[in-house]
Amino acid sequence: MFVPLACVLLCVSPAQAYPLRVTVVLSEEGGAYRAFNRELHSKLADGDFVLTTQTADETPNIPDLYIAVGMKAASKLASSAVPTLSVLVPKAGYDRLPRPDPQHASPHSVIYLDQPLERQVALLLAALPDTTQVGVLHSVPPPELQHVRHLFAGRHVNLHDRAADDSHPLNDTLESLLNESEVIFALADADIYNASTIRNILLATYRKKIPLVGISQAFVKAGALCAVFTTPEQFAEQTAMVTQKFAESGKLPPAQYPSDFEVLVNTQVARSLELQIKDAGQLRAEIRRAQ
Amino acid sequence: MKLHGIERQTLTVAVIPILVLALLLEGYFTYTRFSDMDHALFERAKLIVRQLASSSEYPVFSGNQGLLQQQVDIAFSQQDVNSIMVLDADSRYLAGAGSRPKVGERAQFENLATKAHDLTAFQENSNALWFYQPIATTQIKLDDFGNGDFGTPSNKALGSVIVEIGKDRLNHEKIEILGLNLFMLLFALLTTMLIAMRVSRRITLPVLAMNHAVRRIGEGHLDTRLNPAKVQELDELGSGINEMALQLAQDRNTLQHRIDEATQELRSKKEEAEKANFDKSRFLAAASHDLRQPMHALGLFVGELQTRLDTPEQRKIASKVEESVEAMSSLLDSLLDISKLDAGIVTPQIRSVDVNAMMKRLVQDYIPVAKRKNITLRVHCIEAAVLSDPVLLERILLNLLINAIRYTPSNGTVLLACRRRGDYLRIEVRDSGIGIPEEEQRNIFREFVQLANSARDRSKGIGLGLAIVDRLAKLLEHPLTLRSAPNRGSTFAVTIPRVFGLDELLADSGPGPVVPVAQRNDMDNLRVMVVEDDSLVRTSTAGILESWGCHVSVAENLQDLKEKFASACFDLVVCDYRLPDGDGLMLADHIKNHCEKQPAFILISGDTASEVLQAVKERGHHLLHKPVRPAKLRSLILFLLKSRSEAAAY
């Protein structure tokens, strides 16, 4: 929806008097950041933009627009006086960043790394349409919990949530949750889902033959049943669009979720848990339709 | 000993390098093997503990005791695992197997663990290894975009695993390996020693055989041969020894042959010499017999003649004749004595002898002779008895005295003296004569050697006196010594064992001084039978006996006696030993058989054959050798008569 519109806008709007100086600040070199950077450069290759790439450790120059890629870069440029677009930043992390002084506020915006909850709920319902009981595990009850509950309720699905903290060991909490749920719906909570715990959480769910719907590609690779995610290229495309809008309007859009996405299904896990699940393409199409 | 040395040295040379090499190799390989085993056990233990830590992750996370115990049991079932203990993050015991370590030790392990780099800590002693491994959670990266530092809690260990690995099996295996290695070492050594000994035997055995062979050859077994040896040099040595033995044997045979030849030659020479000596003795015996007959008769005739002459002129001539006869008689006597002594038939009659009396008698007898030469003859003696044959001793002293008087010039001195020398008595005959040069002192005891008589003056004797003295001294075992120098006189001395005590009193003083025939006419009416085939001797013997007052009957031979005097008995029978029809012994036997009163027998022989002397002696008769001097015959007759009368008195 945005993409054709942006194209139209780009096509019709007159060229600016000077090319927009954009500095891409990467949290780290390599990996997904490099793929994102490469894609962004290709999208903004025409003469309207002068793109400079830096890492977060370097002293930034003063451009017309910063594109902070990743949490580290976003943290560094959080108080920047130059308009800054943060990309590939978890919502929880971005929300914790210090807000710039409102009086000297320069436009700051973000494209979250996280997928919108609706899309995740849509995935769960598309992948496991017969689900009636969904479990959610968290450390502190997240603000979006009510929204999620509401979303599930609309589809006649009960949401059970459990908090694991010092007095409630993760395993015990998980065990009790698993007893009530048919599927675990993961939320982006690093206290619960992290590199150390994911294996044991997944093992615990397998033992109960309960699937876990993840929140990223890594979850699926670790053993979650499926997840929606956005590729660096998709992020780059969305970023390019926002940048072009900024070039035209001088304004940054409000914070937004990634617009495009992919679905990844761990067919091995599905087979192990004896689940009949649609393929990734079908699921993606269903989610799109639902949205 | 040296041969042992070869074997020992061969052994040393063979065994020591092998031993050193074997020890080095064994040591090196044993060490590396042990290190490998230690390392393998260590790695395996590490693997077990890590595997257990890994597999315990979920059971510990989920608090699934059953599952945890299952994992522990699986680990515990592995070899060498002595004990296992799984603890939670607060070091509370969750599961385990085997013996539990004490709480203090646990803390120790945890301390170790904090220091270890790879979280695996261990402790070990000789019996066991203890491993400590924290149970860490498996890290699975969930952040695609490297926002890892955001919101990720530190990776806390879920608990820990302590595994004790026993070294018993390892130690046992080590001991087995060590034992096997030692066995192999020993085996290698023994094999080497056996081979070395076998090789060295190949040298030592031939060497021993050679040693034996050389010793045997040295002992004279020249037929000893060596077998070929297996070692080339020893074989050459062995054949050298064989050749040497062969050569020696040949040389010895040649030598033996020569010795045999020489011996044969010597034997024949000796036989010749013996034959010559025998011939000489026979000649001497025959000659003396033939000489004796006329000498005997002559002496008797002269003796009778002296009694019948009237004028002093005639008597003087008769006296000269008698002197000549006397000289000839003594010459014959001496020859006879020498032949008797050489025949070895003189047996000394050792008894106690009164030396003093004997010496005084001798001196008394020779004082007239000495006076004629104007020589002072002295005797100096002590009262002593010696152990000797009185007759033979007197003969020694007599000969020495005659010798001394003969070789002492006028106005000289001859001393007969005796001295004690411990248990012996030394009798010396000392003269102031011409002396004997030292180089001649040994020769004078040989027959017919006379110093200072190159003209062979018979009045100076014939040179048998000292030869007889020497033979007699040797027979009696009286050492004879001579001390003399030219013109300084001579001293002959004999050393004789002394007798002490009763024997001294009973000492035989020998025959008394010769009494002149005329002074004792005991022979008056003595019935004498003279048997003699030689008419000259028979007539002369009968004549002198009759001149001494005897009633003499004569017979030519045994037959004649039997015919003429079949039943007659006599006081004395004087008989020639050799008769035409028998001998004197047969005649004596004949007379003894028919006479109640046994007559005395005097056998007169011209024969010096030793068997005759022996036979007569055995019968207890008296034998006189021709020529018999009248004085001697008379003395013997008187002696026999005296013995008889003494025997009759008892």
Side-chain angles (χ1 to χ4, degrees):
Chain A
M1 220 184 322
F2 283 122
V3 177
L5 180 66
C7 289
V8 170
L9 282 172
L10 278 168
C11 291
V12 296
S13 63
Q16 285 183 313
Y18 54 90
L20 186 75
R21 291 171 300 153
V22 178
T23 296
V24 181
V25 180
L26 301 178
S27 290
E28 278 166 30
E29 284 187 81
Y33 299 116
R34 186 191 291 163
F36 169 83
N37 194 32
R38 194 171 55 236
E39 187 65 22
L40 186 66
H41 271 72
S42 69
K43 295 287 180 197
L44 302 175
D46 52 13
D48 299 337
F49 302 97
V50 176
L51 261 71
T52 313
T53 306
Q54 289 186 326
T55 58
D57 302 327
E58 293 173 65
T59 312
N61 52 12
I62 313 296
D64 301 320
L65 174 67
Y66 280 123
I67 298 177
V69 187
M71 193 62 206
K72 192 174 172 186
S75 306
K76 190 169 181 182
L77 297 170
S79 311
S80 170
V82 178
T84 303
L85 174 66
S86 295
V87 195
L88 292 171
V89 176
K91 184 173 181 292
Y94 188 79
D95 291 348
R96 270 181 240 160
L97 289 177
R99 294 290 100 197
D101 186 358
Q103 291 192 339
H104 301 95
S106 58
H108 276 247
S109 187
V110 63
I111 302 173
Y112 293 126
L113 179 63
D114 313 31
Q115 297 294 321
L117 288 168
E118 293 84 354
R119 196 181 289 163
Q120 291 184 55
V121 171
L123 172 66
L124 189 148
L125 294 172
L128 304 163
D130 302 332
T131 305
T132 55
Q133 310 295 330
V134 174
V136 169
L137 197 61
H138 52 78
S139 49
V140 287
E144 61 270 27
L145 187 61
Q146 281 309 315
H147 180 53
V148 174
R149 194 185 297 279
H150 178 72
L151 284 175
F152 277 117
R155 297 289 296 270
H156 310 293
V157 174
N158 287 328
L159 183 76
H160 307 279
D161 75 298
R162 289 283 189 287
D165 49 31
D166 291 344
S167 56
H168 298 87
L170 175 61
N171 184 59
D172 298 347
T173 317
L174 183 60
E175 285 289 318
S176 69
L177 184 65
L178 287 172
N179 290 336
E180 296 170 345
S181 311
E182 292 166 357
V183 60
I184 299 296
F185 183 71
L187 291 177
D189 184 340
D191 287 337
I192 302 298
Y193 301 104
N194 57 43
S196 300
T197 56
I198 186 65
R199 179 173 173 268
N200 290 315
I201 291 171
L202 285 170
L203 284 171
T205 60
Y206 295 159
R207 290 172 63 80
K208 298 279 186 182
K209 288 198 170 263
I210 289 170
L212 184 142
V213 175
I215 53 170
S216 72
Q217 199 178 359
F219 268 68
V220 179
K221 283 180 183 167
L225 179 65
C226 56
V228 282
F229 69 98
T230 301
T231 64
E233 290 78 11
Q234 289 169 335
F235 272 116
E237 196 174 343
Q238 193 174 350
T239 307
M241 262 164 47
V242 171
T243 307
Q244 278 166 351
K245 270 187 186 166
F246 177 76
E248 288 159 10
S249 61
K251 288 180 182 169
L252 283 172
Q256 55 185 258
Y257 284 99
S259 53
D260 204 358
F261 65 90
E262 294 293 333
V263 171
L264 188 62
V265 175
N266 191 328
T267 50
Q268 181 62 41
V269 172
R271 202 177 303 134
S272 298
L273 296 178
E274 297 169 354
L275 294 172
Q276 297 295 326
I277 194 164
K278 292 160 191 154
D279 65 30
Q282 282 181 321
L283 288 173
R284 184 169 180 260
E286 262 186 51
I287 296 163
R288 278 186 181 283
R289 267 201 305 280
Q291 287 180 354
Chain B
M1 283 293 118
K2 201 168 184 185
L3 294 172
H4 275 290
I6 290 175
E7 199 167 322
R8 200 171 295 165
Q9 281 180 21
T10 315
L11 269 184
T12 311
V13 165
V15 169
I16 284 184
I18 289 289
L19 185 65
V20 169
L21 187 68
L23 278 177
L24 283 176
L25 284 177
E26 290 282 351
Y28 173 72
F29 285 117
T30 308
Y31 173 74
T32 48
R33 182 90 174 88
F34 283 8
S35 300
D36 287 349
M37 287 169 75
D38 285 340
H39 187 68
L41 184 76
F42 188 82
E43 289 300 320
R44 203 160 64 81
K46 211 157 133 181
L47 197 68
I48 289 168
V49 75
R50 283 183 175 173
Q51 200 179 5
L52 181 61
S54 173
S55 63
S56 302
E57 181 190 340
Y58 175 68
V60 172
F61 168 80
S62 62
N64 190 333
Q65 293 279 347
L67 186 61
L68 185 61
Q69 191 60 50
Q70 204 178 322
Q71 297 299 333
V72 167
D73 289 345
I74 287 168
F76 188 69
S77 68
Q78 301 216 42
Q79 210 173 24
D80 298 330
V81 179
N82 277 2
S83 69
I84 292 177
M85 189 165 60
V86 182
L87 308 171
D88 69 5
D90 300 323
S91 292
R92 280 191 298 264
Y93 179 82
L94 292 179
S99 61
R100 278 192 204 186
K102 289 168 189 165
V103 180
E105 288 174 2
R106 247 187 265 168
Q108 208 180 344
F109 287 129
E110 280 159 25
N111 287 339
L112 275 171
T114 54
K115 289 174 194 163
H117 292 293
D118 60 351
L119 299 178
T120 310
F122 75 96
Q123 254 195 340
E124 76 174 305
N125 64 14
S126 57
N127 292 323
L129 266 173
W130 288 273
F131 276 85
Y132 172 90
Q133 171 84 40
I135 302 170
T137 48
T138 313
Q139 298 291 304
I140 296 172
K141 200 177 170 190
L142 287 177
D143 181 8
D144 293 335
F145 298 99
N147 297 321
D149 58 339
F150 163 70
T152 307
S154 63
N155 183 15
K156 196 184 165 201
L158 293 173
S160 54
V161 173
I162 296 169
V163 175
E164 183 193 338
I165 303 289
K167 283 185 172 179
D168 294 347
R169 192 181 58 88
L170 181 81
N171 290 340
H172 187 69
E173 276 181 13
K174 278 182 178 177
I175 287 168
E176 272 184 357
I177 286 170
L178 207 62
L180 188 69
N181 282 355
L182 282 177
F183 171 76
M184 287 196 298
L185 178 71
L186 218 63
F187 180 75
L189 271 182
L190 280 176
T191 312
T192 312
M193 280 171 79
L194 274 176
I195 291 170
M197 277 165 79
R198 258 189 96 87
V199 171
S200 70
R201 287 272 159 82
R202 289 178 67 175
I203 296 170
T204 50
L205 288 182
V207 169
L208 279 170
M210 280 176 202
N211 184 30
H212 182 67
V214 168
R215 197 166 291 164
R216 273 183 65 81
I217 289 169
E219 284 164 2
H221 303 284
L222 296 182
D223 55 340
T224 308
R225 292 291 180 273
L226 282 165
N227 293 326
K230 288 174 184 169
V231 180
Q232 191 194 343
E233 289 83 351
L234 292 176
D235 189 43
E236 285 170 10
L237 187 59
S239 42
I241 289 172
N242 284 346
E243 280 169 24
M244 182 188 78
L246 190 68
Q247 191 63 44
L248 280 174
Q250 285 175 356
D251 289 355
R252 190 173 72 168
N253 285 343
T254 312
L255 203 62
Q256 189 62 48
H257 188 63
R258 284 185 194 161
I259 288 170
D260 287 349
E261 279 179 353
T263 311
Q264 191 58 42
E265 206 171 318
L266 279 174
R267 194 172 291 144
S268 59
K269 286 269 168 65
K270 183 176 163 237
E271 278 166 4
E272 275 175 27
E274 279 172 350
K275 190 168 180 296
N277 197 33
F278 181 71
D279 289 348
K280 183 201 83 181
S281 293
R282 257 184 59 187
F283 167 75
L284 200 62
S288 65
H289 180 262
D290 291 346
L291 280 169
R292 265 169 221 271
Q293 287 294 82
M295 275 302 300
H296 181 56
L298 183 61
L300 296 177
F301 277 134
V302 170
E304 193 189 343
L305 182 65
Q306 270 196 328
T307 59
R308 298 196 183 177
L309 290 176
D310 300 325
T311 65
E313 199 71 17
Q314 288 170 329
R315 284 195 184 166
K316 194 180 175 186
I317 292 168
S319 171
K320 290 286 180 192
V321 173
E322 194 177 18
E323 269 178 42
S324 299
V325 171
E326 188 83 5
M328 272 182 84
S329 290
S330 76
L331 192 148
L332 275 172
D333 275 348
S334 296
L335 279 172
L336 213 56
D337 284 346
I338 284 283
S339 62
K340 269 201 287 184
L341 286 169
D342 282 349
I345 51 159
V346 180
T347 311
Q349 305 294 317
I350 303 293
R351 67 184 76 134
S352 193
V353 181
D354 182 353
V355 184
N356 193 26
M358 179 188 280
M359 284 169 70
K360 280 183 175 161
R361 194 174 61 241
L362 272 172
V363 169
Q364 196 188 345
D365 282 355
Y366 278 84
I367 278 176
V369 182
K371 268 186 181 166
R372 277 204 295 273
K373 280 191 77 180
N374 198 20
I375 289 169
T376 313
L377 178 60
R378 288 190 296 156
V379 63
H380 175 77
C381 195
I382 54 166
E383 289 290 338
V386 294
L387 206 58
S388 185
D389 181 315
V391 177
L392 300 180
L393 178 61
E394 187 172 335
R395 187 67 191 272
I396 288 173
L397 297 179
L398 179 71
N399 279 13
L400 288 174
L401 196 60
I402 291 168
N403 203 55
I405 292 168
R406 189 172 290 153
Y407 287 99
T408 302
S410 296
N411 304 317
T413 311
V414 172
L415 173 66
L416 188 61
C418 61
R419 289 169 188 182
R420 285 195 192 90
R421 284 280 184 280
D423 291 343
Y424 293 86
L425 194 72
R426 181 180 159 97
I427 302 175
E428 292 179 357
V429 180
R430 204 178 276 198
D431 66 57
S432 57
I434 55 172
I436 305 160
E438 196 173 343
E439 63 272 16
E440 295 289 348
Q441 286 183 5
R442 295 193 70 80
N443 289 335
I444 57 165
F445 294 105
R446 284 163 59 188
E447 301 93 331
F448 304 110
V449 171
Q450 283 181 305
L451 302 178
N453 190 16
S454 50
R456 307 296 295 173
D457 178 359
R458 285 280 68 88
S459 70
K460 291 183 176 177
I462 54 162
L464 284 174
L466 288 179
I468 290 166
V469 166
D470 185 47
R471 280 168 172 75
L472 285 173
K474 279 175 182 159
L475 182 68
L476 292 172
E477 296 176 348
H478 299 339
L480 175 68
T481 56
L482 165 63
R483 201 170 65 240
S484 179
N487 301 318
R488 302 279 296 274
S490 310
T491 304
F492 290 87
V494 280
T495 309
I496 313 158
R498 284 173 61 203
V499 184
F500 303 96
L502 192 61
D503 288 343
E504 201 171 353
L505 300 172
L506 299 172
D508 182 1
S509 60
V514 181
V515 181
V517 174
Q519 285 177 9
R520 283 179 58 182
N521 263 333
D522 299 294
M523 283 186 274
D524 287 352
N525 300 321
L526 191 71
R527 293 170 299 165
V528 181
M529 178 73 211
V530 175
V531 186
E532 173 66 62
D533 58 327
D534 189 318
S535 62
L536 206 58
V537 176
R538 189 170 65 234
T539 313
S540 62
T541 308
I544 192 111
L545 286 171
E546 278 172 353
S547 74
W548 292 336
C550 303
H551 289 283
V552 180
S553 309
V554 295
E556 269 185 49
N557 50 37
L558 202 59
Q559 190 58 42
D560 191 22
L561 175 81
K562 286 175 182 171
E563 284 172 5
K564 288 181 185 167
F565 309 101
S567 60
C569 285
F570 304 94
D571 299 316
L572 174 70
V573 177
V574 178
C575 173
D576 190 9
Y577 178 77
R578 193 179 290 167
L579 294 170
D581 54 351
D583 58 30
L585 295 175
M586 289 166 68
L587 182 134
D589 292 341
H590 170 75
I591 291 173
K592 272 184 181 174
N593 285 343
H594 72 266
C595 280
E596 192 185 332
K597 192 184 177 187
Q598 294 296 316
F601 282 90
I602 295 175
L603 297 173
I604 296 175
S605 170
D607 209 335
T608 54
S610 56
E611 56 269 25
V612 175
L613 303 176
Q614 203 75 36
V616 175
K617 219 170 207 181
E618 278 170 13
R619 300 286 183 94
H621 302 321
H622 294 269
L623 184 73
L624 289 172
H625 287 282
K626 291 177 183 174
V628 177
R629 282 173 292 165
K632 193 170 183 178
L633 181 62
R634 187 182 166 87
S635 293
L636 180 60
I637 292 168
L638 288 174
F639 171 72
L640 288 174
L641 290 176
K642 189 184 171 196
S643 305
R644 247 163 196 262
S645 61
E646 282 173 0
Y650 287 112

